[in-house]
Amino acid sequence: MAKRASNLWPTITSFENLVAAWNDVRRGKRFSPVILGYWRNLEENLLGLQQALVDHGWGPKPLRLFSVTEPKPRVIQAPACEDRIVHHALMRVVKPYFERRFRAETCACRKGLGIHAASRMTTAHLRAAAARWGHPYILKCDVSAFFLSIDHEILMQRVSRLFKDPDVLWLFETLIRKCHGYDGVGLPLGSLTSQWLANLYLDPLDHYLTDEMGSPYYVRYMDDFLLIGPNKEWCSVALDHVRTFLACQRLALNPKTSIFPASHGVDFVGYRHFVDFTLPRKRTVKRAKKQLKALCRMYAQGRADLEYIRPRVAAFTGYMRHCDAHRTVDAILQDFILSRPPSK
């Protein structure tokens, strides 16, 4: 086991680090009323936050709740502005110690990885497995209510294996135990530290499947992961191992977990993956068509200008750029151009 990190607290609580964390928080939100309000007395606010952290007098404020529908319906629990500064200040310093623990197959939240890296890795694994076995099978898993099920005691044990600085452990424990309404379980879905801690919680699963079971083709994006095996029987045995391992972490698999031939395609991280090509999700294309038609109507009615429309079209084309869907994009954009009324 790697040596535990220490003497990080002065760097975390330094005024320079808090300023850098503030810049991270306000990026892209400079004109938000909350950001502008905190900015008005920035130096005083950051000095007060620094002292509260040093004295262990800081505590998280109530979370702001809101709902999202994409990629699936969820309730997001967002921390207050000053609390986000604390999250960023902490992760700016400790992130390398998480990274050195994680395997390359863990793609969520990490610089240089993310959704598109997970998609490329999936395609590469499919091709390698097909070349090796001919007709491989997929075990696709999804952890049920993952963030709500994370056990605080188990998570703090994971954290304490990375850090021995008592001040850093105090801050992690405060974030874990006081940032959620449940007693002893659960992490808020909308905070930076929750994403990294959730990755850490499933890190032993990554090492178990790759190091101990020797699974050659494995990818995980947060609580969704897949293994590719030579046949259905291999995947069934692997599924039993996964269920047993997760039960020890007080987690369970979602009923959506399934085993199927790779030839059927793998719906993962927003794309449908096959051995020779990658396609967009059908529902994503259908939703994009509907949204683009709505933008045309808004433009015709004077309720939207080109500055409003342009980034939304760019988001769609950016998503499609990472799969084999050139004809689909051309057809949708052609319909969009033809249906758009001429500029006055």
Side-chain angles (χ1 to χ4, degrees):
M1 186 175 69
K3 185 177 180 181
R4 294 190 298 161
S6 60
N7 301 318
L8 302 178
W9 191 240
T11 305
I12 292 170
T13 57
S14 69
F15 189 77
E16 293 77 13
N17 189 50
L18 292 177
V19 170
W22 156 252
N23 288 329
D24 290 339
V25 168
R26 74 183 180 93
R27 187 171 294 119
K29 302 176 183 177
R30 295 177 60 183
F31 302 108
S32 162
V34 173
I35 295 296
L36 290 173
Y38 197 86
W39 204 343
R40 194 169 294 116
N41 299 298
L42 180 61
E43 184 175 359
E44 180 182 345
N45 288 333
L46 291 182
L47 286 171
L49 175 59
Q50 181 186 41
Q51 194 61 51
L53 288 170
V54 170
D55 295 340
H56 289 199
W58 176 83
K61 297 177 177 61
L63 298 165
R64 179 173 62 91
L65 307 183
F66 61 95
S67 299
V68 298
T69 57
E70 295 297 332
K72 58 184 178 182
R74 292 178 298 176
V75 175
I76 303 298
Q77 301 155 303
C81 175
E82 187 167 84
D83 294 355
R84 294 203 304 273
I85 297 173
V86 174
H87 290 265
H88 280 272
L90 176 62
M91 294 312 305
R92 283 177 57 82
V93 177
V94 305
K95 196 180 296 182
Y97 301 96
F98 282 75
E99 286 281 6
R100 72 182 185 184
R101 173 64 194 173
F102 292 160
R103 287 194 56 90
E105 296 85 356
T106 304
C107 295
C109 309
R110 303 172 68 188
K111 187 175 181 179
L113 292 174
I115 286 175
H116 300 307
S119 177
R120 292 191 297 269
M121 193 180 298
T122 301
T123 301
H125 284 346
L126 282 171
R127 289 173 180 168
R132 180 176 179 180
W133 296 316
H135 301 284
Y137 269 70
I138 307 294
L139 168 59
K140 186 172 181 291
C141 301
D142 177 21
V143 179
S144 179
F146 176 50
F147 277 82
L148 295 177
S149 303
I150 292 175
D151 184 274
H152 293 173
E153 292 295 335
I154 294 175
L155 181 56
M156 278 306 302
Q157 290 174 15
R158 304 260 193 279
V159 173
S160 64
R161 290 172 188 157
L162 294 179
F163 310 101
K164 64 179 180 181
D165 189 323
D167 296 307
V168 174
L169 292 175
W170 164 79
L171 183 53
F172 269 116
E173 187 154 19
T174 300
L175 290 168
I176 290 169
R177 297 188 188 278
K178 295 184 179 179
C179 277
H180 201 277
Y182 295 89
D183 183 21
V185 65
L187 290 178
L189 198 53
S191 69
L192 176 65
T193 51
S194 291
Q195 298 169 21
W196 284 87
L197 289 168
N199 254 347
L200 181 65
Y201 198 82
L202 281 182
D203 176 68
L205 175 68
D206 301 336
H207 289 273
Y208 175 71
L209 293 176
T210 55
D211 298 339
E212 296 187 34
M213 280 187 56
S215 302
Y217 307 117
Y218 169 70
V219 189
R220 178 169 70 85
Y221 190 88
M222 201 54 74
D223 59 322
D224 294 323
F225 57 95
L226 59 86
L227 296 93
I228 307 176
N231 50 54
K232 187 175 182 179
E233 291 72 24
W234 184 95
C235 290
S236 296
V237 172
L239 177 57
D240 290 338
H241 284 291
V242 169
R243 282 185 171 136
T244 301
F245 190 91
L246 289 178
C248 296
Q249 318 303 314
R250 302 187 182 178
L251 298 173
L253 289 174
N254 192 296
K256 293 187 295 184
T257 295
S258 57
I259 297 173
F260 51 90
S263 59
H264 289 184
V266 187
D267 189 337
F268 187 60
V269 293
Y271 297 94
R272 293 182 295 147
H273 302 83
F274 298 84
V275 171
D276 297 320
F277 54 89
T278 302
L279 298 177
R281 280 177 172 164
K282 292 181 179 179
R283 63 177 179 269
T284 301
V285 174
K286 184 177 180 181
R287 184 173 62 249
K289 290 180 179 179
K290 184 177 180 181
Q291 289 175 342
L292 291 175
K293 288 181 180 179
L295 288 174
C296 286
R297 289 194 300 269
M298 293 172 65
Y299 183 77
Q301 297 164 4
R303 295 189 293 118
D305 58 14
L306 292 179
E307 291 301 314
Y308 179 84
I309 293 172
R310 190 175 292 113
R312 286 156 179 80
V313 175
F316 166 68
T317 56
Y319 163 80
M320 299 292 279
R321 187 171 62 245
H322 294 276
C323 58
D324 303 295
H326 306 296
R327 292 181 181 178
T328 302
V329 173
D330 291 343
I332 292 175
L333 292 182
Q334 186 66 22
D335 288 343
F336 174 65
I337 292 170
L338 292 175
S339 61
R340 195 183 75 186
S343 302
K344 297 181 179 179

